[in-house]
Amino acid sequence: MIHAVVAVFSIVLTLVLIVRLTPRGGAWAVQRAVVWLPGPRRWHLWIAGHQRAAQSARMRLVRRPGITPEVLQAVFVNDTTAEAVRIAVVRRCEQLGGVGSVMPSVVGAWGPTDYAWPLTYAGDAVVVQHALRRCLRLKNRATLRSGYARLAQLAGLEAVWAMELEHVGSVELMDPVVRSSMQADDTDVLLEWLD
Protein backbone atom coordinates (compact mmCIF):
# COMPACT_ATOMS: atom_id res chain seq x y z
CA MET A 1 0.00 0.00 0.00
CA ILE A 2 2.84 2.37 0.87
CA HIS A 3 4.51 1.65 -2.46
CA ALA A 4 1.32 2.61 -4.32
CA VAL A 5 1.07 5.90 -2.43
CA VAL A 6 4.73 6.67 -3.14
CA ALA A 7 4.22 5.84 -6.83
CA VAL A 8 1.20 8.14 -7.12
CA PHE A 9 3.03 10.90 -5.25
CA SER A 10 6.05 10.60 -7.58
CA ILE A 11 3.79 10.74 -10.65
CA VAL A 12 2.07 13.87 -9.35
CA LEU A 13 5.41 15.44 -8.46
CA THR A 14 6.75 14.67 -11.94
CA LEU A 15 3.69 16.25 -13.54
CA VAL A 16 4.09 19.37 -11.42
CA LEU A 17 7.75 19.64 -12.46
CA ILE A 18 6.78 19.27 -16.12
CA VAL A 19 4.32 22.13 -15.71
CA ARG A 20 6.98 24.33 -14.10
CA LEU A 21 9.57 23.58 -16.79
CA THR A 22 7.35 23.76 -19.88
CA PRO A 23 4.29 25.92 -19.28
CA ARG A 24 2.38 25.18 -22.48
CA GLY A 25 3.26 21.53 -23.12
CA GLY A 26 3.29 20.68 -19.44
CA ALA A 27 -0.23 22.00 -18.88
CA TRP A 28 -1.45 19.82 -21.74
CA ALA A 29 0.26 16.74 -20.25
CA VAL A 30 -1.17 17.41 -16.79
CA GLN A 31 -4.69 17.93 -18.15
CA ARG A 32 -4.47 14.72 -20.14
CA ALA A 33 -3.21 12.75 -17.15
CA VAL A 34 -5.76 14.23 -14.75
CA VAL A 35 -8.68 13.32 -17.03
CA TRP A 36 -7.71 9.65 -17.16
CA LEU A 37 -6.48 9.15 -13.60
CA PRO A 38 -8.96 7.29 -11.40
CA GLY A 39 -8.10 9.52 -8.49
CA PRO A 40 -10.14 11.96 -6.47
CA ARG A 41 -13.05 13.80 -7.99
CA ARG A 42 -11.39 17.12 -7.18
CA TRP A 43 -8.89 16.55 -10.03
CA HIS A 44 -11.73 16.27 -12.48
CA LEU A 45 -13.39 19.33 -10.98
CA TRP A 46 -10.11 21.19 -11.41
CA ILE A 47 -10.12 20.47 -15.16
CA ALA A 48 -13.83 21.25 -15.43
CA GLY A 49 -13.48 24.60 -13.70
CA HIS A 50 -10.08 25.67 -15.01
CA GLN A 51 -10.44 28.70 -17.28
CA ARG A 52 -7.64 27.67 -19.63
CA ALA A 53 -8.27 23.93 -19.76
CA ALA A 54 -8.20 22.48 -23.24
CA GLN A 55 -11.58 21.81 -24.83
CA SER A 56 -10.36 18.33 -25.77
CA ALA A 57 -9.64 17.60 -22.09
CA ARG A 58 -13.15 18.74 -21.16
CA MET A 59 -14.63 16.59 -23.92
CA ARG A 60 -12.71 13.52 -22.69
CA LEU A 61 -13.91 14.27 -19.19
CA VAL A 62 -17.54 14.39 -20.37
CA ARG A 63 -17.15 11.04 -22.16
CA ARG A 64 -15.51 9.38 -19.14
CA PRO A 65 -17.48 6.29 -17.97
CA GLY A 66 -17.67 7.22 -14.27
CA ILE A 67 -18.43 10.92 -14.67
CA THR A 68 -20.38 12.51 -11.83
CA PRO A 69 -23.21 15.06 -12.16
CA GLU A 70 -21.11 17.56 -10.22
CA VAL A 71 -18.32 17.42 -12.82
CA LEU A 72 -20.78 17.59 -15.73
CA GLN A 73 -22.33 20.71 -14.26
CA ALA A 74 -18.92 22.29 -13.62
CA VAL A 75 -17.97 21.74 -17.28
CA PHE A 76 -21.31 23.09 -18.48
CA VAL A 77 -21.29 26.31 -16.46
CA ASN A 78 -17.65 27.19 -17.11
CA ASP A 79 -17.61 30.43 -19.14
CA THR A 80 -14.80 29.19 -21.38
CA THR A 81 -16.44 25.88 -22.31
CA ALA A 82 -17.04 25.57 -26.04
CA GLU A 83 -20.56 25.12 -27.39
CA ALA A 84 -19.74 21.64 -28.73
CA VAL A 85 -18.65 20.52 -25.27
CA ARG A 86 -21.82 21.94 -23.69
CA ILE A 87 -23.91 20.03 -26.21
CA ALA A 88 -21.94 16.87 -25.36
CA VAL A 89 -22.71 17.49 -21.67
CA VAL A 90 -26.43 17.74 -22.41
CA ARG A 91 -26.34 14.54 -24.47
CA ARG A 92 -24.40 12.77 -21.71
CA CYS A 93 -26.99 13.93 -19.17
CA GLU A 94 -29.68 12.36 -21.34
CA GLN A 95 -27.84 9.03 -21.05
CA LEU A 96 -27.70 9.41 -17.26
CA GLY A 97 -31.39 10.15 -16.74
CA GLY A 98 -32.01 13.55 -18.29
CA VAL A 99 -30.76 17.09 -17.85
CA GLY A 100 -33.47 17.82 -15.30
CA SER A 101 -32.29 15.10 -12.95
CA VAL A 102 -28.51 15.44 -13.49
CA MET A 103 -28.27 19.24 -13.49
CA PRO A 104 -31.45 20.55 -11.85
CA SER A 105 -29.94 23.90 -10.95
CA VAL A 106 -29.10 24.58 -14.62
CA VAL A 107 -32.61 23.69 -15.72
CA GLY A 108 -34.18 25.66 -12.88
CA ALA A 109 -33.89 29.37 -12.25
CA TRP A 110 -30.08 29.29 -12.17
CA GLY A 111 -27.76 30.86 -14.65
CA PRO A 112 -27.51 33.34 -17.47
CA THR A 113 -29.63 32.94 -20.56
CA ASP A 114 -26.75 31.89 -22.82
CA TYR A 115 -26.80 28.47 -21.12
CA ALA A 116 -30.34 27.89 -22.33
CA TRP A 117 -29.45 27.30 -25.97
CA PRO A 118 -27.57 23.99 -25.50
CA LEU A 119 -30.54 22.68 -23.53
CA THR A 120 -32.45 22.57 -26.80
CA TYR A 121 -30.59 19.31 -27.37
CA ALA A 122 -32.33 17.73 -24.39
CA GLY A 123 -34.83 14.95 -24.98
CA ASP A 124 -37.46 16.32 -22.60
CA ALA A 125 -39.96 18.85 -23.98
CA VAL A 126 -40.45 20.47 -20.57
CA VAL A 127 -36.70 21.08 -20.22
CA VAL A 128 -36.51 22.59 -23.72
CA GLN A 129 -39.58 24.74 -23.08
CA HIS A 130 -38.15 26.02 -19.81
CA ALA A 131 -34.82 26.82 -21.49
CA LEU A 132 -36.58 28.66 -24.29
CA ARG A 133 -38.56 30.77 -21.84
CA ARG A 134 -35.24 32.08 -20.56
CA CYS A 135 -34.12 32.79 -24.15
CA LEU A 136 -37.20 34.77 -25.18
CA ARG A 137 -35.57 38.03 -24.08
CA LEU A 138 -32.64 37.45 -26.44
CA LYS A 139 -32.50 39.29 -29.74
CA ASN A 140 -30.91 36.30 -31.50
CA ARG A 141 -33.80 34.86 -33.50
CA ALA A 142 -31.69 32.01 -34.93
CA THR A 143 -31.16 30.67 -31.40
CA LEU A 144 -34.88 30.81 -30.68
CA ARG A 145 -35.76 29.19 -33.98
CA SER A 146 -33.41 26.29 -33.26
CA GLY A 147 -35.04 25.87 -29.88
CA TYR A 148 -38.50 26.11 -31.40
CA ALA A 149 -37.57 23.41 -33.92
CA ARG A 150 -36.46 21.09 -31.10
CA LEU A 151 -39.64 21.81 -29.16
CA ALA A 152 -41.72 21.08 -32.28
CA GLN A 153 -39.97 17.72 -32.61
CA LEU A 154 -40.70 16.81 -29.00
CA ALA A 155 -44.10 18.36 -28.28
CA GLY A 156 -45.58 19.35 -31.63
CA LEU A 157 -46.19 22.63 -33.41
CA GLU A 158 -48.95 23.73 -31.06
CA ALA A 159 -46.49 24.11 -28.18
CA VAL A 160 -44.28 26.36 -30.32
CA TRP A 161 -47.19 28.49 -31.53
CA ALA A 162 -48.53 28.88 -27.99
CA MET A 163 -45.14 29.88 -26.60
CA GLU A 164 -44.46 32.47 -29.30
CA LEU A 165 -47.99 33.86 -29.15
CA GLU A 166 -47.77 34.13 -25.36
CA HIS A 167 -44.47 35.99 -25.69
CA VAL A 168 -45.42 38.54 -28.37
CA GLY A 169 -49.17 38.87 -27.75
CA SER A 170 -50.55 38.77 -31.30
CA VAL A 171 -50.21 36.80 -34.52
CA GLU A 172 -48.95 39.86 -36.44
CA LEU A 173 -45.97 40.24 -34.11
CA MET A 174 -44.95 36.55 -34.20
CA ASP A 175 -41.63 35.50 -35.67
CA PRO A 176 -42.12 35.17 -39.46
CA VAL A 177 -40.84 31.58 -39.49
CA VAL A 178 -43.17 30.52 -36.66
CA ARG A 179 -46.07 32.39 -38.23
CA SER A 180 -45.51 30.76 -41.64
CA SER A 181 -45.34 27.31 -40.01
CA MET A 182 -48.61 28.14 -38.26
CA GLN A 183 -50.29 29.26 -41.48
CA ALA A 184 -49.04 26.24 -43.42
CA ASP A 185 -49.54 23.85 -40.48
CA ASP A 186 -46.15 22.38 -41.39
CA THR A 187 -43.02 21.68 -39.34
CA ASP A 188 -40.60 21.74 -42.30
CA VAL A 189 -40.10 25.50 -42.05
CA LEU A 190 -39.04 25.18 -38.41
CA LEU A 191 -37.09 21.93 -38.64
CA GLU A 192 -34.65 23.35 -41.19
CA TRP A 193 -33.24 25.44 -38.31
CA LEU A 194 -31.91 22.27 -36.65
CA ASP A 195 -29.54 21.59 -39.55
Side-chain angles (χ1 to χ4, degrees), residues 70-114:
E70 183 182 19
V71 174
L72 283 174
Q73 185 166 330
V75 170
F76 190 81
V77 301
N78 190 328
D79 292 339
T80 59
T81 298
E83 203 65 43
V85 178
R86 284 196 178 128
I87 291 168
V89 168
V90 171
R91 290 186 172 155
R92 186 62 196 266
C93 288
E94 290 299 317
Q95 295 171 355
L96 300 174
V99 177
S101 64
V102 177
M103 298 189 304
S105 61
V106 173
V107 175
W110 183 90
T113 55
D114 60 338

Side-chain angles (χ1 to χ4, degrees), residues 6-170:
V6 170
V8 169
F9 180 75
S10 64
I11 290 171
V12 170
L13 185 62
T14 304
L15 291 174
V16 168
L17 289 174
I18 289 172
V19 169
R20 297 257 183 213
L21 296 175
T22 58
R24 183 142 171 84
W28 175 84
V30 169
Q31 289 174 12
R32 194 169 184 89
V34 165
V35 167
W36 292 112
L37 284 174
R41 186 176 58 201
R42 69 178 192 277
W43 293 348
H44 297 149
L45 285 171
W46 178 76
I47 288 289
H50 196 278
Q51 293 296 315
R52 293 189 344 206
Q55 299 301 326
S56 59
R58 291 180 187 155
M59 188 65 87
R60 282 192 304 277
L61 198 58
V62 169
R63 293 178 179 158
R64 189 177 168 82
I67 192 76
T68 63
E70 183 182 19
V71 174
L72 283 174
Q73 185 166 330
V75 170
F76 190 81
V77 301
N78 190 328
D79 292 339
T80 59
T81 298
E83 203 65 43
V85 178
R86 284 196 178 128
I87 291 168
V89 168
V90 171
R91 290 186 172 155
R92 186 62 196 266
C93 288
E94 290 299 317
Q95 295 171 355
L96 300 174
V99 177
S101 64
V102 177
M103 298 189 304
S105 61
V106 173
V107 175
W110 183 90
T113 55
D114 60 338
Y115 292 143
W117 183 78
L119 293 180
T120 59
Y121 284 86
D124 183 1
V126 175
V127 169
V128 173
Q129 193 171 23
H130 186 76
L132 282 172
R133 285 196 193 284
R134 293 190 297 166
C135 278
L136 285 173
R137 294 180 299 276
L138 298 176
K139 303 295 183 203
N140 187 347
R141 296 308 295 178
T143 297
L144 287 175
R145 289 173 183 167
S146 297
Y148 282 155
R150 184 64 178 157
L151 184 60
Q153 277 184 331
L154 297 172
L157 281 172
E158 293 80 12
V160 174
W161 301 335
M163 180 178 273
E164 178 71 9
L165 191 58
E166 177 187 329
H167 174 62
V168 296
S170 71

